[in-house]
Amino acid sequence: MSASYAERLKEYPNKGKCGLPENYDTSRSLSFKISTLANLLNDSSYTVVLTGAGISTSAGIPDFRGPNGIWTREQERLKQLQLMMMKKKKRNRVEQESRKKKKNGDDDLMEQLQDDREQQQQKQETSNEDNLSFVTAKPTLTHRALAHLIATTKKPKSNKQHHRNNNNSHYHVHHLITQNIDGLHGKTPQLPRSHLSILHGDIFTEKCPTCHTEYIRNYEISTIGLQPTGRYCTNGSCQGALIDTLLDWEDALPEKDWEKSQVECAKAELILCLGTSLRIEPAGGLCRLATTEGVLEAGADEWDLSDDGDAKEQSKKKKKGKKKQQQSTQKKLGYVIVNLQETPYDDQAALVIRAKVDDVMERLMSKLGYGSDWDT
């Protein structure tokens, strides 16, 4: 699953801090924080959610930097390999000094058997992860809850759910931005693509670079790094060669989704960061756009944040005849982080919750007034 995807990536040494300890809030503290989060969501007239690998672990998809994450395990294997090499060098040095092992190959045989056992163990660990499939993985409670919050109003009357209209303040969540490639947001029926920005690609999506048509498949796309998939566009007479959408380490973010993400975060009064270590930039820094300081630093106070027009043009175009201070005086509630590990942005967060994301979202839905049947 995540391991098979990670194996396709090029070698990249700077994967950030991995294996940091996970911490949990006390029951009393967690209850207070969830109530605070509910109040923030009710007070916000425009909320954006940024999701990371931590929202998919309950679907059986490993994260990357957790105690058992893909990059954490990779670093541990590298340390073990380095230790093995040191031991081997020491044994070789002893061999050369004593010259006793030249007479007997039993030690060499035992050494080789030990190396084989360790290599086999590593292969078994990887194969256990590969047996899982992105295809069979299903959206978690968090995926479903976020889609529900986008699709329904803040205060459903008479237990009826109302379809989205033009009054954004009636909704708890207005846009989702994901760093995940697992496609689980896309498997959530209530979530339209127009309310989702995908920054690092989707394992099920290939696109036409000519007419920009996206094709969602029910199987994994086998290539990575925006490479040709061997299929062709069927949009009219285009027939362009389709490419995957999965980014390799140094690939540029998809322009349309990235520009849309910046615009949405600049509009946001509140940004909710779920299950992300916020260690991959520039995506991690998006949360700062929910603060007045972050908006000013990014120059977002000069962007045209109207709902009309292309996101790319909105992010570049300055409002005519309006003072620079207009956007800087926009109400900003800050950003909230729900993650078991510390992140580089904890200190300036309005609220940090240390708990599993599904547990937080289940209790949050109740606090927001959604009955127990919202997930049926």
Side-chain angles (χ1 to χ4, degrees):
M1 194 174 269
S2 293
S4 63
Y5 156 71
E7 288 171 357
R8 303 187 214 171
L9 295 168
K10 295 177 182 177
E11 289 295 326
Y12 189 77
N14 187 21
K15 295 184 173 75
K17 291 184 178 180
C18 299
L20 292 174
E22 293 182 341
N23 300 297
Y24 289 84
D25 289 325
T26 65
S27 177
R28 183 176 180 180
S29 176
L30 182 58
S31 295
F32 173 79
K33 288 181 177 182
I34 292 175
S35 295
T36 302
L37 176 55
N39 291 336
L40 285 169
L41 282 166
N42 283 324
D43 192 30
S44 173
S45 61
Y46 207 91
T47 300
V48 172
V49 178
L50 176 62
T51 66
I55 75 165
S56 297
T57 53
S58 61
I61 300 176
D63 61 20
F64 291 93
R65 293 175 181 80
N68 199 39
I70 300 299
W71 305 141
T72 305
R73 293 164 66 88
E74 179 186 80
Q75 289 185 358
E76 289 174 352
R77 285 194 291 266
L78 181 59
K79 290 178 181 178
Q80 291 173 0
L81 181 60
Q82 291 172 339
L83 183 60
M84 287 169 56
M85 293 300 294
M86 290 176 61
K87 289 180 177 180
K88 190 170 184 178
K89 287 181 180 179
K90 184 177 180 180
R91 286 196 297 265
N92 288 340
R93 188 164 58 249
V94 171
E95 273 185 9
Q96 293 173 358
E97 291 173 355
S98 65
R99 295 186 179 182
K100 292 181 180 180
K101 292 185 178 180
K102 287 185 178 180
K103 299 179 181 179
N104 189 344
D106 290 344
D107 289 335
D108 289 336
L109 179 60
M110 291 301 295
E111 178 184 335
Q112 184 61 47
L113 289 173
Q114 179 65 21
D115 289 347
D116 289 346
R117 278 196 296 267
E118 291 173 352
Q119 291 175 9
Q120 185 63 34
Q121 182 179 358
Q122 292 176 9
K123 289 179 181 179
Q124 182 63 39
E125 291 171 354
T126 301
S127 65
N128 287 340
E129 294 172 336
D130 289 343
N131 287 335
L132 301 172
S133 170
F134 284 115
V135 174
T136 57
K138 296 180 180 179
T140 66
L141 182 144
T142 296
H143 291 94
R144 301 192 300 273
L146 292 174
H148 192 80
L149 292 176
I150 277 186
T152 57
T153 53
K154 283 186 176 180
K155 296 180 179 179
K157 297 179 180 179
S158 302
N159 294 323
K160 293 181 179 179
Q161 296 177 352
H162 302 279
H163 293 292
R164 173 172 286 277
N165 55 38
N166 293 328
N167 194 336
N168 283 322
S169 63
H170 288 171
Y171 297 86
H172 281 113
V173 176
H174 304 83
H175 196 76
L176 296 185
I177 303 167
T178 188
Q179 303 165 85
N180 297 341
I181 58 89
D182 54 39
L184 291 183
H185 282 304
K187 289 184 180 181
T188 312
Q190 287 179 293
L191 181 61
R193 181 65 170 90
S194 59
H195 289 279
L196 175 65
S197 293
I198 304 172
L199 296 184
H200 297 159
D202 187 315
I203 195 81
F204 297 109
T205 302
E206 52 189 341
K207 67 179 180 181
C208 176
T210 303
C211 68
H212 308 294
T213 301
E214 289 186 341
Y215 295 86
I216 313 299
R217 308 302 189 187
N218 59 3
Y219 50 84
E220 296 182 24
I221 308 302
S222 60
T223 57
I224 192 172
L226 312 178
Q227 297 300 309
T229 63
R231 289 173 286 274
Y232 294 89
C233 182
T234 57
N235 181 25
S237 59
C238 178
Q239 296 185 338
L242 300 182
I243 61 174
D244 66 80
T245 61
L246 293 175
L247 301 189
D248 210 330
W249 281 109
E250 296 182 352
D251 290 328
L253 296 177
E255 187 175 24
K256 183 177 179 180
D257 286 84
W258 174 236
E259 297 289 354
K260 178 71 170 175
S261 297
Q262 294 176 85
V263 169
E264 290 295 325
C265 287
K267 288 163 62 174
E269 294 178 3
L270 177 69
I271 295 178
L272 179 56
C273 308
L274 300 178
T276 171
S277 65
L278 298 175
R279 294 187 181 277
I280 295 295
E281 299 293 352
L286 285 171
C287 62
R288 291 271 295 145
L289 290 175
T291 67
T292 301
E293 296 82 0
V295 167
L296 291 173
E297 289 172 7
D301 56 323
E302 298 182 352
W303 296 355
D304 180 0
L305 303 181
S306 62
D307 292 329
D308 299 324
D310 183 78
K312 179 181 178 182
E313 294 303 318
Q314 290 179 29
S315 67
K316 292 181 177 179
K317 185 171 60 178
K318 296 181 180 180
K319 287 190 172 182
K320 297 179 180 179
K322 299 206 175 178
K323 294 183 178 180
K324 193 173 182 178
Q325 289 84 359
Q326 180 177 355
Q327 290 297 335
S328 63
T329 58
Q330 175 191 359
K331 183 175 76 170
K332 291 290 185 180
L333 298 174
Y335 57 91
V336 175
I337 297 172
V338 182
N339 201 57
L340 289 172
Q341 296 174 302
E342 66 178 36
T343 82
Y345 293 93
D346 286 357
D347 290 345
Q348 296 180 1
L351 182 66
V352 176
I353 301 177
R354 300 289 188 225
K356 292 184 177 180
V357 184
D358 278 356
D359 294 342
V360 172
M361 291 305 298
E362 183 175 20
R363 295 172 63 174
L364 179 63
M365 294 299 283
S366 177
K367 284 287 184 182
L368 293 175
Y370 296 97
S372 57
D373 60 343
W374 70 265
D375 198 23
T376 57

